[in-house]
Every structure is written in C-alpha cells, then in structure tokens.
Amino acid sequence: MKKYLVIGNPIDHSLSPKLQNWWLKENNIDATYDKIKLEDHEIKNFTQDIKDQKIAGCNVTVPFKKTIIPFLDKLSPEAQRTQSVNTITFDNGNLIGHNTDIAGFDTAIRKLNFSVKDKKVLILGAGGVVPSIIFALKNMNVQEITISNRTKEKAENLRVLFNDLKILDWGNLTDFNMIINATSLGLNNEKINLNFSSLGNDKLFYDVIYNPRETHFLKTGKKLGYMTENGKTMFVYQALEAFKLWHKIEPKVDKETLKLLDND
C-alpha cells in the first residue's frame, strides 16, 4: 500500500488527509494519506524516505515550501519561478517539486464573479503561498500588487522574484479592489488591526485560510457589505492537481466533496 503525507509545522489544522483519503477511496486506489509535523532538521531524512520510496509522494505546507527546495532534484517551471513547492513526486529516481497552489488560486478566482483584470490587489503577508498568488495574479493581468508584511524585509525579498511589487508598511492601508489575507492571523480567531471603514464600493476580501471557515478578517469584510471568500476552493483545487500528478486521475469535486471540509 502506497503512503502519501502532508508535512508542515503546525499541521493540526490541515484537512488534506480528509480530502485525499476521500478521493483515494472514491477511485479505489490502494494508498493512504496522513499528516506529519516536522522540524527543519528532519527535512533531509524525510526527502530521502521518498527517494527510497518508503513514502510515495507528499504535499508541503508552511513553513517548508521554500526550505525543501535544496533537497529536490528538479523543479517544475512554476515551482522554479516562484521558489515555492507544495507537491513532490518521484520519477525515474528524481524528486520533483511542483507548485499546484497557482492553479488552485487561479481556479478559485475564476469561479468567483469578480474580474481582477486591471485591478489593484493588496496582499497581507509575504510567506508560504504568496509567491504563487502573485504569479497567478500576474497571469490574470492585474494592474498593481502591493505587499504588506509584519517583517518588512520579508516583503522586500519578494522583489527578487517579482521586481514591480509595491511594499507597504504593516498597519497602513492603500487603495485596493481586492485584499488577500495570506498571514496566519485568523487561524485562532486573531484580528487584523486595520481600519477598513472608508474603502468605497466593490471590494473583494479573500482569505487563504479555510479552517475556520470565516475568519475575523472575512467577518469584517462581510459586515462592511463586501464580497468575501475563504481559501476552501483554492485548497480543493491545489489538492486536485496534486492528486492528478500522483495518480494520473482527475478526482471529482462535487457538493459532497466540499461539504467534507465544513467541519468547524
């Protein structure tokens, strides 16, 4: 029986096993999928376990999307461009890093009735999934992307990958059509202390977090009458792309699949 894992730290909140095991069962695939919390010093041995095929493949979440790269043999073009890996496959003796977050975010935004073409986007946060979101937004021809992060240096570092980003000091706001929370603020009901009261019309509040379903950030957006969306659709479709890479089958996404993740 093949074994798949998702690695991260923290990892308790991850619903990946719930979704992947559901699809494995639906498609009669003899495999298991579990989650495991790792420390930095354990990454090398973990990747060797995939090379030895004790583990068939894995997903990678915060904080390892970039730090795992030196232990891989090849990167997909998207993973290379974003320096971010969330899926690992083993092929002909090589560990290959992929980025399916881009496709996940792209699908999520396309499923919303909200065009980001020529719009201004403000992203809160600079780690994990942010390079993938920037990459996807650029493909959608947004006008401008501004990054605001608690550690300004981390936001500045993203300019190495994308040199036309604007950087905003944490705690400040700028004009935007779409605001994305890509921080971990909200996982435990924390507030983001920004004054959203005088923004104008037609804004989209998007939160990468999907568990809990509605963060304080999204509740604020909703109260102000704006469109809100959590990270569930992105999560499902990045998982779908990973499943396809491992099993060469496209799993089904229906109401039952989505309901599976509403557990809070």
Side-chain angles (χ1 to χ4, degrees):
M1 185 184 270
K2 285 185 172 180
K3 184 177 170 185
Y4 295 85
L5 289 167
V6 57
I7 61 166
N9 189 346
I11 198 67
D12 280 353
H13 65 282
S14 175
L15 296 179
S16 290
K18 210 171 186 183
L19 181 56
Q20 294 285 349
N21 284 315
W22 168 266
W23 281 336
L24 288 170
K25 197 175 165 191
E26 269 206 327
N27 292 282
N28 298 314
I29 295 167
D30 189 23
T32 62
Y33 185 108
D34 211 344
K35 55 187 169 190
I36 184 169
K37 181 179 167 184
L38 289 186
E39 303 297 335
D40 284 325
H41 67 270
E42 296 173 298
I43 293 290
K44 189 179 180 182
N45 286 345
F46 177 80
T47 50
Q48 190 57 48
D49 281 349
I50 308 177
K51 275 209 149 167
D52 298 339
Q53 280 297 277
K54 292 175 191 166
I55 300 160
C58 86
N59 281 132
V60 182
T61 188
V62 174
F64 302 125
K65 289 179 190 234
K66 188 173 180 175
T67 50
I68 201 156
I69 290 175
F71 303 103
L72 307 177
D73 302 303
K74 291 180 180 177
L75 295 180
S76 74
E78 293 85 0
Q80 182 70 50
R81 177 72 182 86
T82 54
Q83 287 296 291
S84 180
V85 165
N86 78 325
T87 304
I88 296 172
T89 58
F90 180 73
D91 188 29
N92 286 331
N94 289 313
L95 289 183
I96 304 169
H98 305 263
N99 181 333
T100 71
D101 285 325
I102 297 163
F105 181 77
D106 184 82
T107 305
I109 298 306
R110 290 182 195 285
K111 283 183 176 288
L112 289 174
N113 196 10
F114 189 92
S115 169
V116 292
K117 190 177 186 294
D118 300 326
K119 300 275 172 70
K120 294 178 177 179
V121 182
L122 172 59
I123 302 174
L124 306 175
V129 81
V130 173
S132 311
I133 288 174
I134 295 168
F135 185 92
L137 287 169
K138 283 183 163 293
N139 283 345
M140 294 179 213
N141 298 312
V142 298
Q143 182 191 326
E144 179 183 291
I145 300 170
T146 304
I147 306 286
S148 185
N149 191 57
R150 283 168 287 188
T151 316
K152 195 174 180 181
E153 191 188 350
K154 213 171 169 192
E156 300 277 6
N157 289 344
L158 283 169
R159 280 201 174 135
V160 176
L161 296 173
F162 307 100
N163 59 13
D164 56 352
L165 294 176
K166 294 194 165 185
I167 310 293
L168 182 71
D169 285 337
W170 184 257
N172 294 346
L173 270 184
T174 183
D175 182 36
F176 64 82
N177 304 101
M178 176 185 189
I179 184 168
I180 300 170
N181 176 34
T183 73
S184 58
L185 293 171
L187 274 176
N188 299 303
N189 208 31
E190 303 94 334
K191 291 179 180 178
I192 294 175
N193 291 316
L194 290 170
N195 180 13
F196 294 119
S197 57
S198 51
L199 295 175
N201 303 325
D202 290 338
K203 311 287 182 195
L204 170 61
F205 275 56
Y206 183 94
D207 204 317
V208 169
I209 294 169
Y210 59 88
N211 181 23
R213 204 181 322 173
E214 195 171 49
T215 56
H216 191 275
F217 170 77
L218 291 185
K219 283 175 184 161
T220 303
K222 192 186 264 182
K223 248 183 227 159
L224 293 167
Y226 298 126
M227 189 174 180
T228 63
E229 178 77 7
N230 71 14
K232 183 163 81 168
T233 308
M234 177 185 179
F235 167 70
V236 168
Y237 283 93
Q238 64 76 27
L240 176 140
E241 294 298 327
F243 192 93
K244 272 162 59 177
L245 285 168
W246 295 322
H247 309 295
K248 313 292 182 254
I249 292 170
E250 177 149 352
K252 211 165 63 186
V253 177
D254 53 20
K255 275 183 186 160
E256 217 175 337
T257 318
L258 296 171
K259 207 173 153 195
L260 200 67
L261 306 176
D262 291 338
N263 72 339
D264 55 314

